[in-house]
Amino acid sequence: MKIGLNFSLILTLLLWISCDDSINIFQNEENNYLQNNSPNNKSRSILNNDTGYVYLQNPYSLDNMQEVYDIFYDGEIELEPTNLYVRFLPQDSSQLASLVYDYNLELFNYPLNIELDEGEEYVDPNIEEDEFTWLYTVVDTEFTFPSNILYEILEECYIPEEDETIATGDSRVENYVDVEEMAYTLLGYEIEETIPTLSRGKKRPEGYIYVRNNSPEMTNVDSFPVKGVKVRCRKFVKFSTTYTDTNGHYVMDSKFATSPRYSLVFDNCKGFDIWGNWGPLARASYKLGKQSKSGYSHTLEPQERAWKWAAINNAGYDYYLMCEESGITKPPTNIKILTMKNMSNSSAGMYRRIENFISFEGNTMQRFLTVLFGNQLNLLYQSLRMLMPDITIGTNGKTYSKIYRDVNHELAHTSHFSKVGSPYWADYITYIASYGTYGDGNGNNAELCAIGEMWGYAVGEICRCEKLYNDTINGEYNGLHKDDWFKPHIFWDLYRYKILSLKNIHDCMNTNVRTYNQLITELCHRYPNKEMRIKSVFMTHGLLQNNLPGTDGNIVYDSFLFNQSYSSSYTHTGNDVYGAFLFVYPGGNLTIDASNSVTIDYPFIVESGASFTIQRTD
């Protein structure tokens, strides 16, 4: 988690998304919305204005559907609207976020009955370039509109039930007509046949979504299924959504009479969002264009904008699945991940969730900034933090494999946050912001930062090896920051030597664990039968003295051998001897002379041409 430079990013985001709440906020019942008692009249003025775009008649309009029933229904029936075609005009980022997350609306930045060429973006000629644009969607007739957001009802609609039919009672025609298909036919729309040998009719789209693998070291894997991503199909005001499964397969909930427009929305079924083309305000989305009503399959290529979102999506899905399977605490609900395409660093600042003061504690200038601006910046931060991401992922120049590693790293931090909460995390961010990335191991809360980074880097690398490469973790840690002062290889070694699982380690990372000694004490307290094996790893990497007493079970050891290599003869004498990380090479001879007991733990390697002897001295 590199958030030294991202602390300045916080301030940039704060300034960018802040706004003057006094502008265009409607305070009274008369002016806070455009309510229209004659939606069809208003619709004609809105939908047929001279904008240079081609507007199409809506088959699902209440009038058109009523005409279907008037022609074919044997009797009289007056349809009631099932939905409203509406648009909203948010005045600031908080209103936009409210529409997306509080009201859970599927929003479109173009009219739903407009004809756009592939790749063409809609530009509302009545909206200035730097202003929010109208956002279009469909809501139920019982929808409660927000009182402080400008909206307009464009049209009353009737969206039939699935396969809704009318029995005609006329022997000269078929016994029934499909209401939806007939609504299209009355307006002159063709109910196309995708395969001539099949009969005409509505289809339920299904297909597969993949993402191309561009990791040069993974030549045996061409692509990966995109897991748990939302697929959306839309035709006029009717749209349907579903999620892909672990194989990237989807089946839409609704049938379509004609070819719909497909989109991917990076709102994962596991409970996290990816922010992208909407900035830090709403879920990233990607248009796949008008495709067959029977279904569509697509592989996202590295040059496509959504490729990086799909890579992040898959890593997130796999991490949540690992938490479910292992019992590691999941990230907080509704994690928001912001993609930074022009950056390579990533962070898990958890800015949306920190309620405590953040300060600078480093050099004189930083402390001066805290005194001068700290209160004002923190007040601004607290007022806008819900519009900020939990995680930022820098994707610049990264392969699928590296993005996968970084996402697992940052999500590991969010699981840590779930256990320790806001005060602990504020201290974490304060250290990184004060001392530049990870500092040099000095300063207040340095070891707190070290514990968090030991965890993040170990988990990121372990998940990449096991989940992406299907490798067994049995070699030395060769990931990022291998030689840094915070020693990420400690948790790696505890895991690869099968001393502790990731769940065992995570269970010990609570609010009281802020230093190395507190971490070691907590690990040994929870797993007393593994005390010496735990301590051996910390001793080997220099975070614990080699002469400290320790126990495994009922034995109290007073003599230790750690991280030693022997290529000649050596004799070690003691009472109760414990050894680990021992390597005897050809020509070497290790003799342990003990008066009571000897315990040798993994790793212990005696190569061909070397010898090892235990003897007892009374």
Side-chain angles (χ1 to χ4, degrees):
M1 176 172 63
K2 295 185 178 180
I3 58 176
L5 72 104
N6 281 328
F7 188 75
S8 62
L9 170 64
I10 299 175
L11 303 183
T12 302
L13 288 173
L14 285 172
L15 294 174
W16 182 59
I17 64 178
S18 62
C19 57
D20 183 357
D21 286 342
S22 65
I23 299 176
N24 291 323
I25 297 299
F26 305 96
Q27 301 294 338
N28 58 67
E29 185 69 20
E30 182 180 358
N31 294 321
N32 70 348
Y33 59 91
L34 296 178
Q35 178 63 56
N36 182 10
N37 294 324
S38 303
N40 290 330
N41 293 335
K42 177 61 70 173
S43 297
R44 281 193 290 272
S45 66
I46 291 295
L47 301 184
N48 297 321
N49 57 8
D50 184 15
T51 62
Y53 296 98
V54 177
Y55 289 81
L56 305 175
Q57 288 183 285
N58 175 18
Y60 300 95
S61 71
L62 183 62
D63 286 349
N64 191 57
M65 286 292 178
Q66 183 66 58
E67 186 174 358
V68 173
Y69 271 86
D70 289 345
I71 293 173
F72 295 99
Y73 185 68
D74 187 15
E76 292 185 3
I77 186 172
E78 184 175 350
L79 298 179
E80 296 291 335
T82 61
N83 300 85
L84 300 173
Y85 173 33
V86 300
R87 65 178 187 171
F88 295 90
L89 186 61
Q91 301 300 304
D92 55 46
S93 53
S94 62
Q95 290 189 359
L96 174 56
S98 178
L99 292 173
V100 175
Y101 294 111
D102 296 338
Y103 291 90
N104 200 31
L105 297 176
E106 298 284 341
L107 298 173
F108 303 83
N109 61 354
Y110 53 88
L112 301 184
N113 66 327
I114 200 171
E115 187 69 21
L116 292 174
D117 295 332
E118 291 300 326
E120 182 183 5
E121 293 293 335
Y122 174 76
V123 178
D124 191 330
N126 301 310
I127 299 293
E128 296 294 331
E129 184 176 352
D130 58 348
E131 295 181 353
F132 281 91
T133 189
W134 284 100
L135 300 173
Y136 298 79
T137 192
V138 178
V139 298
D140 293 336
T141 53
E142 301 301 318
F143 179 79
T144 301
F145 286 89
S147 60
N148 65 330
I149 302 177
L150 181 67
Y151 71 89
E152 189 166 14
I153 297 174
L154 302 178
E155 197 165 37
E156 291 181 321
C157 302
Y158 180 87
I159 300 179
E161 296 288 340
E162 195 80 353
D163 296 323
E164 183 174 328
T165 58
I166 300 174
T168 64
D170 189 338
S171 59
R172 295 171 297 176
V173 298
E174 296 181 10
N175 293 332
Y176 64 89
V177 295
D178 184 282
V179 173
E180 188 172 4
E181 287 190 1
M182 188 54 63
Y184 276 83
T185 301
L186 288 181
L187 294 179
Y189 297 119
E190 181 182 357
I191 309 298
E192 71 271 11
E193 298 178 15
T194 55
I195 302 177
T197 58
L198 298 181
S199 61
R200 186 182 83 170
K202 292 186 293 185
K203 303 293 183 183
R204 193 181 306 277
E206 66 173 306
Y208 291 84
I209 305 298
Y210 299 99
V211 56
R212 186 75 65 197
N213 175 36
N214 68 341
S215 306
E217 71 278 12
M218 299 179 66
T219 56
N220 61 325
V221 181
D222 179 70
S223 60
F224 297 96
V226 182
K227 308 171 186 177
V229 73
K230 182 187 287 186
V231 182
R232 183 175 66 200
C233 286
R234 181 191 65 82
K235 193 66 178 182
F236 292 102
V237 298
K238 176 183 177 179
F239 51 81
S240 177
T241 63
T242 191
Y243 292 91
T244 58
D245 61 18
T246 55
N247 298 313
H249 181 245
Y250 70 90
V251 180
M252 299 310 299
D253 292 336
S254 299
K255 295 179 181 180
F256 286 83
T258 63
S259 297
R261 294 185 178 273
Y262 290 70
S263 295
L264 299 179
V265 181
F266 287 87
D267 164 28
N268 195 277
C269 66
K270 291 295 184 182
F272 63 90
D273 292 344
I274 298 170
W275 291 355
N277 50 339
W278 287 73
L281 299 172
R283 306 170 181 109
S285 60
Y286 186 65
K287 299 174 185 176
L288 295 174
K290 184 178 180 181
Q291 307 295 344
S292 168
K293 63 182 178 182
S294 297
Y296 178 64
S297 296
H298 184 76
T299 299
L300 292 165
E301 301 293 344
Q303 65 270 21
E304 293 184 78
R305 180 172 55 175
W307 179 88
K308 58 185 177 294
W309 300 332
I312 294 171
N313 172 87
N314 279 3
Y317 183 97
D318 287 351
Y319 182 83
Y320 276 73
L321 185 62
M322 182 196 71
C323 289
E324 293 167 1
E325 294 173 346
S326 68
I328 290 174
T329 306
K330 284 186 178 182
T333 57
N334 300 320
I335 285 288
K336 313 301 180 189
I337 304 174
L338 175 61
T339 307
M340 309 293 290
K341 66 179 181 179
N342 295 321
M343 298 178 64
S344 58
N345 289 344
S346 301
S347 73
M350 307 302 287
Y351 308 127
R352 301 177 67 248
R353 304 170 196 270
I354 296 179
E355 301 172 353
N356 299 80
F357 189 85
I358 299 171
S359 65
F360 288 108
E361 297 177 350
N363 59 41
T364 302
M365 178 56 69
Q366 290 172 325
R367 290 195 297 271
F368 172 75
L369 289 173
T370 295
V371 173
L372 190 61
F373 299 113
N375 287 330
Q376 291 88 338
L377 290 177
N378 272 275
L379 286 172
L380 177 61
Y381 165 68
Q382 292 299 332
S383 66
L384 297 172
R385 62 187 176 85
M386 293 309 295
L387 300 177
M388 303 191 69
D390 296 294
I391 294 175
T392 64
I393 299 294
T395 61
N396 187 30
K398 292 182 181 177
T399 63
Y400 184 94
S401 172
K402 290 180 179 179
I403 292 174
Y404 190 95
R405 173 200 63 201
D406 292 353
V407 173
N408 278 275
H409 173 129
E410 304 307 339
L411 285 174
H413 284 315
T414 69
S415 288
H416 189 191
F417 178 92
S418 290
K419 289 184 65 68
V420 298
S422 172
Y424 189 105
W425 219 255
D427 290 341
Y428 197 163
I429 291 180
T430 291
Y431 174 83
I432 295 177
S434 298
Y435 298 98
T437 309
Y438 306 128
D440 58 5
N442 297 306
N444 189 31
N445 291 315
E447 292 185 10
L448 180 151
C449 171
I451 292 168
E453 296 309 324
M454 288 161 60
W455 170 250
Y457 279 105
V459 172
E461 200 65 33
I462 288 169
C463 287
R464 175 165 73 158
C465 291
E466 290 190 338
K467 305 299 183 183
L468 212 53
Y469 298 107
N470 296 316
D471 281 351
T472 301
I473 304 300
N474 54 19
E476 292 186 1
Y477 176 82
N478 288 308
L480 296 174
H481 294 276
K482 176 181 179 181
D483 300 320
D484 268 10
W485 65 271
F486 53 84
K487 302 181 185 300
H489 34 331
I490 287 180
F491 285 168
W492 173 274
D493 283 351
L494 287 171
Y495 181 80
R496 71 156 166 153
Y497 293 133
K498 297 180 172 58
I499 300 170
L500 297 174
S501 68
L502 290 179
K503 171 67 161 55
N504 294 151
I505 297 170
H506 178 68
D507 285 346
C508 295
M509 297 174 62
N510 53 49
T511 54
N512 298 320
V513 174
R514 305 171 69 93
T515 66
Y516 295 138
N517 286 337
Q518 290 170 342
L519 174 63
I520 295 167
T521 299
E522 184 69 17
L523 290 168
C524 293
H525 171 73
R526 282 180 176 265
Y527 314 108
N529 291 335
K530 299 180 179 181
E531 179 178 340
M532 282 312 304
R533 279 170 281 178
I534 293 168
K535 286 184 175 180
S536 70
V537 174
F538 284 89
M539 291 179 186
T540 297
H541 295 298
L543 293 187
L544 195 63
Q545 295 179 6
N546 282 8
N547 60 353
L548 292 177
T551 64
D552 266 343
N554 297 320
I555 302 175
V556 179
Y557 298 100
D558 60 358
S559 185
F560 306 94
L561 285 174
F562 289 112
N563 199 30
Q564 299 294 320
S565 300
Y566 305 95
S567 55
S568 60
S569 295
Y570 176 77
T571 299
H572 181 85
T573 303
N575 294 319
D576 292 285
V577 181
Y578 182 92
F581 292 85
L582 303 177
F583 306 89
V584 188
Y585 297 119
N589 175 38
L590 173 61
T591 301
I592 297 180
D593 189 341
S595 61
N596 193 11
S597 66
V598 176
T599 299
I600 303 296
D601 248 323
Y602 184 80
F604 175 55
I605 298 175
V606 181
E607 295 189 351
S608 177
S611 63
F612 170 65
T613 305
I614 297 177
Q615 61 188 36
R616 177 167 180 158
T617 301
D618 293 328

